[in-house]
Amino acid sequence: MSQLIKQVADERNITSVIDLGSGQGYLSRALAFEHGLEVLAVDMSEIQTKGAVKFDNKALKIQKKSEDGLPNLKHVTERITPENIADVLTRWGSSIDKSWLVTGLHTCGDLSPMIFNLFAECPQVACVVNVGCCYNALTSSGFPMSSYVKKKCMPFGSTARVLSCHSPSRWLDEGEQCITISNNYLFRGLFQEMMVDRGLSDINDPPILGRIKQNKSFPLFVKAALKKMKLPDDTITSEEAEIHYSQCKEKSVDRQFLALWTLRALLSPVIESIILMDRYLYLKSSIQSTHPSDNQGCWMFPLFDQSASPRNVVLIASK
């Protein structure tokens, strides 16, 4: 990622980078230490920012440099928007009269759309390089972005957004863990069925359980789910849960569920592709072609091996 950013910056004579959602500063340090770029590392969490500074100092000690030996890297706790970017740059001693490249590695939820908005709306931002993730955290502000997808009326609910984060290509590598995850989804379905049968939930509005630790047996899952819902343990006894699960196995419901779950999960790359294409179309429409150049344009391609990083598609745009 840092090598790609360096290449994109050099081709456009850009020497300054804003790393949004910089976290502990791993990408920022690579850009500053290895490639000599001026980097403003921005994160909204002061804990992350302070942690990044500690890692900087450790790296400087290894390189036998003083803490003042890296003037081209600053970690700041800020929230940058198109409205305040000039003030933030000025406040931290950075020039607003030069071109900046804005980047982010595995930026969560709406942070990627914010990066793209900075590119589209701010004259200081000439280029963007981004790999997003955590589509489940997207809001209506982050999707859809492009006028084309907005006209198609394709709003994704929470179920679709969560599904877009699944990675069927990793099932072989995950092995037993993948089987455990599918069992957990089966347990959720069976628990919801038992709650509806007892009149404790509506079939059109099943209980929302949130995150529950994976359990090897259905009775243990039921116990954890009841606790999550603050219901008595005897609402569904372990014996009742075991009988229900045994009946499910006898009717091959588990196999039917697995087939449905697999077909559903195979749609995840389709949903992710729609999100990515929406971002690509938004960036492409944001580029003014009054002064076209070889470096002007928008690109999207896989950057990492998907087995190592399922969210592996990078978006690059240059004005």
Side-chain angles (χ1 to χ4, degrees):
M1 179 76 168
S2 64
Q3 293 174 345
L4 174 63
I5 293 170
K6 173 63 173 174
Q7 177 184 339
V8 171
D10 285 349
E11 290 174 351
R12 293 155 180 79
N13 296 317
I14 295 174
T15 59
S16 301
V17 176
I18 298 173
D19 181 10
L20 275 190
S22 55
Q24 297 284 305
Y26 299 108
L27 177 60
S28 299
R29 273 187 297 279
L31 294 171
F33 279 58
E34 297 178 24
H35 301 298
L37 292 166
E38 175 191 1
V39 182
L40 185 65
V42 182
D43 200 280
M44 290 178 60
S45 168
E46 189 173 2
I47 294 175
Q48 296 280 25
T49 303
K50 288 182 177 179
V53 172
K54 289 182 179 179
F55 280 118
D56 285 356
N57 293 335
K58 289 181 179 179
L60 288 170
K61 288 180 180 179
I62 293 174
Q63 295 184 357
K64 297 181 180 179
K65 294 181 180 180
S66 67
E67 293 184 9
D68 297 327
L70 196 66
N72 60 333
L73 174 58
K74 295 177 183 176
H75 295 278
V76 301
T77 306
E78 292 274 7
R79 181 178 185 271
I80 290 185
T81 67
E83 292 75 26
N84 74 353
I85 184 172
D87 293 337
V88 172
L89 291 175
T90 301
R91 183 159 58 249
W92 292 100
S94 300
S95 173
I96 61 174
D97 297 325
K98 59 185 175 184
S99 296
W100 288 80
L101 182 153
V102 177
T103 189
L105 175 57
H106 289 150
T107 42
C108 185
D110 285 346
L111 187 52
S112 285
M114 174 57 72
I115 289 175
F116 302 141
N117 287 335
L118 288 172
F119 171 80
E121 300 176 25
C122 303
Q124 299 91 349
V125 180
C127 195
V128 61
V129 180
N130 176 254
V131 178
C133 75
C134 303
Y135 306 128
N136 58 295
L138 280 171
T139 68
S140 57
S141 298
F143 178 86
M145 297 189 72
S146 68
S147 58
Y148 179 83
V149 177
K150 286 178 180 178
K151 289 177 183 177
K152 293 296 182 180
C153 297
M154 290 192 294
F156 287 160
S158 60
T159 299
R161 295 197 302 271
V162 170
L163 183 59
S164 69
C165 298
H166 289 207
S167 303
S169 61
R170 303 186 74 185
W171 286 353
L172 287 176
D173 295 329
E174 290 174 349
E176 188 66 29
Q177 181 184 359
C178 181
I179 297 174
T180 302
I181 292 173
S182 66
N183 284 340
N184 207 45
Y185 277 97
L186 172 64
F187 291 169
R188 285 172 180 265
L190 293 177
F191 175 75
Q192 291 173 351
E193 183 181 41
M194 295 188 77
M195 292 290 286
V196 170
D197 290 345
R198 284 163 171 72
L200 298 173
S201 180
D202 188 277
I203 192 170
N204 297 314
D205 186 24
I208 299 175
L209 301 177
R211 185 183 294 275
I212 293 181
K213 184 180 178 182
Q214 294 177 2
N215 292 276
K216 293 184 178 180
S217 72
F218 182 56
L220 288 176
F221 179 90
V222 169
K223 184 177 180 179
L226 291 173
K227 183 178 180 180
K228 193 76 176 286
M229 297 184 68
K230 298 180 180 179
L231 292 173
D233 288 346
D234 60 358
T235 302
I236 300 175
T237 66
S238 295
E239 291 76 15
E240 290 172 330
E242 187 60 47
I243 291 172
H244 192 77
Y245 182 71
S246 297
Q247 291 174 344
C248 156
K249 298 283 285 187
E250 290 173 4
K251 298 176 182 178
S252 297
V253 172
D254 56 332
R255 292 178 178 273
Q256 297 171 30
F257 179 87
L258 183 59
L260 178 63
W261 183 78
T262 301
L263 290 172
R264 176 180 177 272
L266 289 174
L267 291 173
S268 58
V270 177
I271 300 176
E272 181 183 16
S273 295
I274 293 173
I275 294 173
L276 291 171
M277 278 304 303
D278 174 56
R279 295 176 175 185
Y280 174 86
L281 292 172
Y282 173 79
L283 289 172
K284 195 172 182 64
S285 67
S286 302
I287 299 171
Q288 301 295 327
S289 58
T290 53
H291 302 288
S293 67
D294 292 339
N295 292 323
Q296 186 184 74
C298 184
W299 301 266
M300 179 171 66
F301 53 87
L303 181 60
F304 311 121
D305 186 328
Q306 197 169 36
S307 63
S309 177
R311 307 284 80 81
N312 68 331
V313 175
V314 64
L315 278 155
I316 303 171
S318 179
K319 297 176 182 176

